[in-house]
Amino acid sequence: MIQTSVTPFKHKLNSPLTKQHITVLQVNLGKRCNLACTHCHVEAGPKRIEELSPEICEQLIEIICAFPQIKIVDLTGGAPEMNYGFKYLVEAAKLANKEVIVRSNLTIYFEDGFGDLPEYFAQHQVRVVASLPCYLADNVDKMRGAGVYDDSIKALQWLNQVGYGKEQNLILDLVYNPQLAFSEKFSLTPDQAKLEQDYKVFLQEHFGIVFNNLFTITNLPVGRTKLHLERKKLYAPYLQFLESNFNPKTVENLMCRDQLSVDYLGNVYDCDFNQMMNLPAKTRDGENLTIAKLLAAGSLDLIDEIQTAAYCYGCTAGCGSSCGGALV
């Protein structure tokens, strides 16, 4: 029997998906970016102007300093480095002894005004999670634009020169994304450990590049990926494919469980994908949350149940997917 619809995600679970103690604050600083990648769920690009305001930046710094339970401050975008408040947040978080992650597209280092970033990251011991959706040039340039692969390689070599991937406190991780589908021959991300070895061997042999970890991340049908799938009439089939590969063992480790995702306006979401689909986090009273409300309440743990949607199957298919790669 051919499946024609998708089971609501919450019906797939044995019990409601609940929040745990919050330890990760992920901030999307805005949609400004020097690239416009075909798979970008944020739909970021050079023509976007939405970004953090000084007021929301101050509230975020207050949150970072007020709550010792936050162990990780995860900065994303757009190109987070291009958006207002980036260095303020890095420095406030490091002063508060948090681990700081920057999700970098690498090519930003070659734009005017951003040539100090590799050294700045090393100075502040920022963990760099860098997008390199394949170790082969053709695949990367198809997804991200002509010449992006070459600039990415130069950027990785630059990061290696300042100690990334070599020194204990300078962690360099890479992110793999699959190619966008053009037919119903869908596939899950490859085995993360094996692909990491393939990346390490290829990049070392061809470019002398070393790095710490590879994260395999599934393309969720959100943003430009969703638009692409809809144009190809593959949106529903892709959701059905993800549901058919649902793995209940991934649920315990989902990133939304111990994370708050904040947008450039200060609104709070359970994850970055919910943020892009405008599905806000809710308090137990059904109220939408903002950073200001968290500060007023003096608590980060105001959410009982996580908001879910059909695209959550992307995080729970196969070995699972998160901002930190595979879940099982």
Side-chain angles (χ1 to χ4, degrees):
M1 182 175 169
I2 298 173
Q3 183 183 6
T4 56
S5 61
V6 175
T7 308
F9 184 77
K10 63 182 179 181
H11 294 169
K12 203 78 166 182
L13 307 177
N14 294 325
S15 58
L17 189 61
T18 53
K19 277 287 195 203
Q20 297 165 343
H21 193 55
I22 298 299
T23 60
V24 180
L25 183 70
Q26 186 175 70
V27 182
N28 190 304
L29 282 82
K31 297 181 186 288
R32 295 178 64 207
C33 189
N34 58 311
L35 301 179
C37 301
T38 58
H39 65 297
C40 180
H41 70 280
V42 181
E43 299 181 67
K47 295 180 180 178
R48 302 301 294 262
I49 59 172
E50 305 94 319
E51 65 178 339
L52 206 63
S53 68
E55 178 190 6
I56 300 302
C57 185
E58 284 299 320
Q59 290 177 5
L60 286 164
I61 289 171
E62 196 175 340
I63 285 270
I64 288 165
C65 296
F67 293 96
Q69 73 188 77
I70 297 173
K71 305 301 180 192
I72 297 172
V73 176
D74 186 343
L75 303 177
T76 185
E81 306 99 323
M82 285 186 78
N83 290 274
Y84 178 85
F86 174 71
K87 289 186 176 179
Y88 295 133
L89 291 172
V90 167
E91 289 162 32
K94 293 305 291 188
L95 276 173
N97 294 315
K98 316 295 186 186
E99 179 181 6
V100 177
I101 295 172
V102 57
R103 297 190 179 270
S104 182
N105 69 27
L106 297 173
T107 64
I108 185 65
Y109 314 155
F110 303 105
E111 299 287 338
D112 287 345
F114 299 97
D116 67 323
L117 285 173
E119 287 81 4
Y120 177 83
F121 292 161
Q123 177 191 348
H124 294 283
Q125 298 186 347
V126 174
R127 183 172 188 160
V128 178
V129 178
S131 180
L132 191 71
C134 183
Y135 56 76
L136 301 174
D138 187 48
N139 288 348
V140 172
D141 286 354
K142 276 181 185 172
M143 293 176 79
R144 313 191 69 203
V148 169
Y149 181 81
D150 287 344
D151 279 349
S152 298
I153 292 299
K154 289 177 198 165
L156 290 171
Q157 290 169 329
W158 189 351
L159 289 168
N160 281 172
Q161 286 167 13
V162 300
Y164 273 94
K166 299 176 179 180
E167 296 178 20
Q168 184 177 356
N169 294 323
L170 299 180
I171 305 298
L172 172 60
D173 301 322
L174 302 185
V175 172
Y176 162 88
N177 290 94
Q179 295 287 300
L180 293 178
F182 284 84
S183 73
E184 291 194 27
K185 293 180 180 176
F186 304 120
S187 60
L188 297 174
T189 56
D191 176 77
Q192 183 168 282
K194 182 183 182 305
L195 189 59
E196 179 180 296
Q197 282 308 114
D198 293 344
Y199 263 71
K200 284 186 170 178
V201 169
F202 185 90
L203 293 175
Q204 173 75 61
E205 286 184 353
H206 289 80
F207 306 109
I209 289 168
V210 294
F211 65 94
N212 295 95
N213 308 288
L214 178 74
F215 300 147
T216 55
I217 298 184
T218 301
N219 289 326
L220 265 70
V222 170
R224 288 199 189 112
T225 296
K226 181 184 181 189
L227 293 172
H228 167 85
L229 291 168
E230 287 175 337
R231 280 196 299 269
K232 301 296 179 185
K233 296 183 168 49
L234 293 171
Y235 177 65
Y238 185 59
L239 281 174
Q240 290 156 11
F241 166 77
L242 294 174
E243 183 190 350
S244 70
N245 284 281
F246 173 74
N247 181 355
K249 292 179 181 175
T250 61
V251 174
E252 182 61 32
N253 298 319
L254 286 171
M255 62 183 177
C256 55
R257 304 202 68 181
D258 63 355
Q259 175 193 87
L260 295 179
S261 171
V262 184
D263 70 9
Y264 63 93
L265 296 171
N267 300 307
V268 176
Y269 304 81
D270 292 307
C271 74
D272 198 46
F273 300 111
N274 280 0
Q275 183 182 141
M276 295 313 134
M277 296 300 286
N278 197 27
L279 186 62
K282 301 277 188 184
T283 66
R284 52 189 66 98
D285 298 323
E287 185 181 352
N288 291 358
L289 270 177
T290 64
I291 284 289
K293 288 177 183 177
L294 294 174
L295 284 167
S299 174
L300 301 181
D301 298 300
L302 301 180
I303 303 164
D304 285 343
E305 189 170 341
I306 293 164
Q307 302 301 304
T308 61
Y311 49 79
C312 297
Y313 285 118
C315 291
T316 55
C319 291
S321 178
S322 75
C323 288
L327 298 173
V328 293

